[in-house]
Amino acid sequence: GNSVTQMEGPVTLSEEAFLTINCTYTATGYPSLFWYVQYPGEGLQLLLKATKADDKGSNKGFEATYRKETTSFHLEKGSVQVSDSAVYFCAPRGGATNKLIFGTGTLLAVQP
Amino acid sequence: DAGITQSPRHKVTETGTPVTLRCHQTENHRYMYWYRQDPGHGLRLIHYSYGVKDTDKGEVSDGYSVSRSKTEDFLLTLESATSSQTSVYFCAISGEGMNTEAFFGQGTRLTVV
């Protein structure tokens, strides 16, 4: 089945700093890749996605590129804001299973 | 916003009692999922459904059962609640195809005392 490994948190940054959250996955076949974000007290919501190799997903200043050769989908943002403080989850979907599996999530705390 | 509702939103129950959580959708999506979220463990899949009466186990299914008798409802039952099942439970729905995103409910905070 699919599995995903995310970098351990918490990640603490100052406002306007550069963000990288690493994500690597294992999957049979060619999954689609997703990043979800969870703000305090809420359910997860889609941040961005990429559906094939070398695709770049982007939204709200966040970007991630589907790297098939390294099975990675790292999340980046050039300048974080306090409002980006949340938990971020990487999730592959597809391949040989319809299960939707998430990583442990990475807590991002941005300080003013 | 996707039409997905969890009930109840909060519940406190005693050890050994049965508990049922309900997930209701108005999107007619095929797939429905139940997760639990605990500090240090992220989001773990309990059970999921790929159609009416079609369900399968996830990573942490022991002590839980599910039922889906109609497209819009997916029930999660704790047959005999234990303190280790104290958690926040999330339901998610998604359509066909691996390119489609999942939509999440607001969560149910369950405390077993």
Side-chain angles (χ1 to χ4, degrees), chain B residues 8 10-15 17 19 109-113:
Chain B
H10 302 273
K11 186 170 182 65
V12 179
T13 191
E14 293 187 348
T15 298
T17 61
V19 176
R109 183 173 294 277
L110 176 68
T111 303
V112 183
V113 298

Side-chain angles (χ1 to χ4, degrees), chain A residues 30-32 34 36 38 41-46 49 51 87 89 93-95 97-105, chain B residues 9 31 33 35 37 40-43 45 48 56-59 90 94-102 104-106:
Chain A
Y30 301 99
S32 293
F34 298 80
Y36 288 84
Q38 183 182 31
E42 299 183 8
L44 279 68
Q45 58 186 274
L46 179 69
K49 70 178 182 182
T51 59
V87 182
F89 291 89
R93 184 180 184 191
T97 178
N98 288 309
K99 291 182 181 179
L100 186 55
I101 301 296
F102 292 84
T104 54
Chain B
R9 292 292 313 280
Y31 295 97
Y33 306 84
Y35 297 89
Q37 185 173 30
H41 291 280
L43 215 59
L45 181 64
Y48 74 105
D56 201 357
K57 295 179 180 180
E59 312 162 76
F90 285 98
S94 70
E96 295 272 3
M98 64 182 192
N99 296 342
T100 58
E101 69 181 278
F104 282 78
Q106 291 291 90

Side-chain angles (χ1 to χ4, degrees), chain B residues 15-106:
Chain B
T15 298
T17 61
V19 176
T20 295
L21 307 183
R22 180 182 184 232
C23 179
H24 178 78
Q25 62 151 326
T26 57
E27 305 296 322
N28 200 36
H29 282 335
R30 178 180 177 187
Y31 295 97
M32 299 186 76
Y33 306 84
W34 275 110
Y35 297 89
R36 60 179 290 174
Q37 185 173 30
D38 305 289
H41 291 280
L43 215 59
R44 292 182 291 175
L45 181 64
I46 304 171
H47 283 279
Y48 74 105
S49 170
Y50 47 96
V52 173
K53 293 188 170 56
D54 292 324
T55 64
D56 201 357
K57 295 179 180 180
E59 312 162 76
V60 290
S61 58
D62 287 348
Y64 301 94
S65 62
V66 290
S67 67
R68 191 169 179 199
S69 59
K70 44 187 179 176
T71 299
E72 56 266 36
D73 288 325
F74 192 34
L75 304 180
L76 176 71
T77 297
L78 290 66
E79 302 291 347
S80 177
T82 68
S83 58
S84 64
Q85 294 176 311
T86 292
S87 187
V88 180
Y89 292 85
F90 285 98
C91 177
I93 62 174
S94 70
E96 295 272 3
M98 64 182 192
N99 296 342
T100 58
E101 69 181 278
F103 298 92
F104 282 78
Q106 291 291 90

Side-chain angles (χ1 to χ4, degrees), chain A residues 12-65:
Chain A
T12 303
L13 296 173
S14 297
E15 210 164 19
E16 299 183 2
F18 183 85
L19 168 72
T20 300
I21 299 178
N22 291 337
C23 169
T24 58
Y25 66 92
T26 59
T28 54
Y30 301 99
S32 293
L33 301 174
F34 298 80
W35 276 101
Y36 288 84
V37 59
Q38 183 182 31
Y39 298 104
E42 299 183 8
L44 279 68
Q45 58 186 274
L46 179 69
L47 179 60
L48 55 83
K49 70 178 182 182
T51 59
K52 61 182 186 294
D54 299 324
D55 264 4
K56 179 185 286 188
S58 61
N59 185 27
K60 299 181 181 179
F62 290 89
E63 294 183 339
T65 301

